[in-house]
């Protein structure tokens, strides 16, 4: 009996010791919780990449960090994203840089009509460009990744087969696309993607100019029965983190996030390219959307009208201290490198 009691005592002791050591763990062993704000609705690609990043970070950091995601502008909306993250209203935020053209001049140069063929190449070009120039506008935040949308096309309520069909047509587009639609004679109406479903429904616009995955993700195929393929320009996005929150993270978590930066860019671009194709097929099959390819002659004319845009950009923003021409050359070289 006595010896049995002793055995039990010996069995309990290690368990007690383990309990005490657990209680003595520093407070930082509890998972750090971070908020991640996003502006468009949950099914759209910026939010799909957000959920993928959350899962990867949580599993690779083995429970040291928890990410609470806020899609649909529930924490910060499109235009407040950068300043909201700097102010600490959200720890992390995803922003479309094209919505603030004058603020992100270097990275928005990827939105010039330079022939980026798809979202994967666009995302890698953007990431390398950012790394090379390290623009001052990101000095107050930690950049967690960047990625690009697929090239933009026209989605419209009426068929657009020629420049004549486009003349005066009210199309929603953001950022640098304004110049493009202007060059083609359309009437550009600026607003973030998050405001577009209502504008289409109320008839404020007759269509939009963006990447085609929104035909499915935002159900635009129900209202825009025509797609005109132009494959014109991509839009650059950034995911940024409040710098104090970043500095306070355990080094092992910082490493997980750093290691994911380029991988996440490529993952998102690849997801986007595949998803655009799915969206197009779904729109044709489920909503009888007509997909219009321009004739060779028509396409050549549309492209010709875009040629002055890049030169004008170089002239208007280039200075002794801002190497606009070199940025354009770098983008062209990066397209070649990643496009192979
Ligand atoms: N082309 C830009 C960015 C963009 C493309 N797809 C989505 C989906 C959700 C938000 C933004 C975007 C645009 O048209 O706003």
């Amino acid at each position: 009996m006595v010896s049995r009691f002793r055995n039990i005592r010996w069995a309990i002791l290690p368990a007690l010791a383990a309990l005490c050591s657990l209680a003595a763990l520093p407070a930082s062993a509890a998972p750090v919780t971070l908020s991640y704000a996003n502006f468009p609705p949950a099914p759209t690609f910026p939010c799909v990449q957000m959920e993928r990043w959350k899962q990867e970070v949580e599993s690779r950091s083995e429970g040291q960090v928890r990410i609470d995601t806020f899609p649909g502008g529930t924490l910060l909306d499109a235009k407040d994203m950068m300043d909201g993250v700097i102010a600490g209203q959200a720890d992390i935020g995803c922003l479309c840089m094209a919505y603030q053209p004058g603020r992100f001049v270097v990275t928005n140069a990827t939105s010039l009509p330079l022939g980026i063929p798809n979202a994967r190449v666009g995302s890698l070009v953007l990431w390398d460009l950012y790394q090379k120039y390290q623009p001052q506008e990101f000095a107050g935040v930690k950049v967690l990744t960047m990625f690009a949308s697929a090239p933009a096309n026209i989605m419209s309520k009426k068929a657009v087969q020629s420049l004549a069909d486009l003349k005066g047509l009210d199309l929603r587009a953001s950022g640098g696309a304004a110049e493009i639609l202007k060059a083609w004679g359309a009437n550009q109406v600026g607003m973030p993607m998050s405001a577009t479903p209502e504008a289409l429904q109320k008839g404020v616009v007759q269509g939009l100019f963006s990447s085609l995955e929104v035909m499915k993700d935002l159900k635009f195929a129900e209202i825009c029965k025509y797609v005109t393929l132009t494959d014109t320009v991509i839009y650059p996005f950034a995911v940024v983190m409040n710098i104090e929150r970043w500095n306070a993270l355990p080094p092992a978590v910082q490493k997980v996030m750093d290691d994911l930066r380029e991988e996440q860019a490529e993952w998102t671009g690849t997801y986007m390219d595949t998803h655009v194709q799915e969206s197009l097929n779904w729109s044709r099959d489920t909503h009888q959307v007509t997909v219009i390819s321009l004739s060779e002659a028509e396409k050549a004319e549309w492209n010709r009208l875009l040629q002055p845009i890049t030169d004008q950009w170089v002239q208007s923003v280039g200075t002794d201290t801002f190497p606009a021409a070199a940025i354009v050359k770098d983008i062209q070289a990066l397209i070649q490198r990643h496009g192979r």
Side-chain angles (χ1 to χ4, degrees):
M1 182 72 183
V2 172
S3 79
R4 232 168 78 202
F5 179 73
R6 242 194 229 132
N7 283 347
I8 290 171
R9 238 185 14 194
W10 286 121
I12 286 174
L13 269 177
L16 267 178
L19 259 181
C20 293
S21 74
L22 256 188
L25 272 182
S28 65
V32 180
T33 302
L34 299 174
S35 58
Y36 186 154
N38 219 328
F39 64 95
T44 59
F45 91 102
C47 293
V48 171
Q49 74 76 37
M50 168 171 78
E51 295 302 330
R52 187 265 174 178
W53 187 86
K54 164 195 158 84
Q55 269 175 11
E56 291 301 322
V57 169
E58 286 180 350
S59 80
R60 293 184 197 189
S61 62
E62 295 170 344
Q64 289 187 73
V65 67
R66 210 185 85 191
I67 320 280
D68 290 339
T69 55
F70 296 85
T74 44
L75 188 54
L76 285 172
D77 75 16
K79 294 216 164 130
D80 299 327
M81 201 55 81
M82 185 73 171
D83 291 327
V85 168
I86 292 171
Q89 289 165 272
D91 299 322
I92 301 171
C94 173
L95 58 127
C96 180
M97 294 181 268
Y99 296 169
Q100 290 175 291
R103 185 168 189 172
F104 304 103
V105 183
V106 176
T107 42
N108 273 330
T110 55
S111 268
L112 290 166
L114 295 168
I116 290 180
N118 55 46
R120 181 185 163 275
V121 171
S123 299
L124 293 172
V125 167
L126 172 65
W127 181 247
D128 284 354
L129 191 76
Y130 163 71
Q131 294 277 72
K132 174 164 182 182
Y133 287 92
Q134 304 271 328
Q136 182 57 26
E137 50 272 22
F138 294 102
V141 291
K142 168 73 185 178
V143 175
L144 295 176
T145 193
M146 287 192 180
F147 55 85
S149 67
N153 294 288
I154 298 169
M155 296 158 252
S156 51
K157 296 181 185 180
K158 67 164 215 179
V160 174
Q161 317 235 18
S162 64
L163 287 170
D165 294 334
L166 203 51
K167 188 131 197 67
L169 192 67
D170 295 326
L171 290 183
R172 172 271 166 196
S174 53
E179 292 304 309
I180 289 167
L181 291 182
K182 220 189 290 164
W184 288 340
N187 180 31
Q188 182 257 355
V189 184
M191 69 185 78
M193 185 59 86
S194 28
T196 310
E198 196 180 327
L200 270 174
Q201 240 139 36
K202 291 195 170 152
V204 174
V205 292
Q206 299 309 306
L208 71 152
F209 183 61
S210 187
S211 43
L212 294 174
E213 87 293 349
V214 287
M215 288 290 277
K216 182 168 190 204
D217 295 346
L218 294 176
K219 305 280 183 287
F220 290 161
E222 288 172 3
I223 199 161
C224 295
K225 294 297 175 193
Y226 297 92
V227 163
T228 304
L229 297 176
T230 62
D231 282 333
T232 312
V233 285
I234 59 100
Y235 282 79
F237 286 71
V239 179
V240 296
M241 181 168 180
N242 177 277
I243 198 72
E244 281 94 38
R245 293 290 275 159
W246 167 260
N247 289 336
L249 284 178
V253 174
Q254 288 182 337
K255 180 166 176 357
V256 166
M257 292 183 183
D258 269 342
D259 289 350
L260 252 172
R261 290 176 302 170
E262 188 171 0
E263 180 191 319
Q264 182 72 12
E266 187 164 16
W267 185 91
T268 306
T270 306
Y271 163 80
M272 176 61 149
D273 291 328
T274 312
H275 192 53
V276 159
Q277 207 42 57
E278 282 166 8
S279 166
L280 205 51
N281 295 342
W282 177 87
S283 304
R284 275 197 197 104
D285 298 346
T286 317
H287 288 283
Q288 290 71 51
V289 166
T290 304
V291 180
I292 299 166
S293 296
L294 298 173
S295 69
E296 282 298 309
E298 191 72 27
K299 183 90 172 95
E301 177 60 4
W302 290 44
N303 286 342
R304 192 187 62 76
L305 292 170
L306 302 186
Q307 274 165 15
I309 292 179
T310 302
D311 289 344
Q312 278 160 12
W313 180 82
V314 170
Q315 269 161 27
S316 67
V317 303
T319 60
D320 289 347
T321 52
F322 190 84
I327 290 171
V328 168
K329 273 211 182 103
D330 281 331
I331 294 173
Q332 287 164 330
L334 288 167
I335 296 172
Q336 292 306 315
R337 185 191 306 165
H338 292 298
R340 276 193 217 127

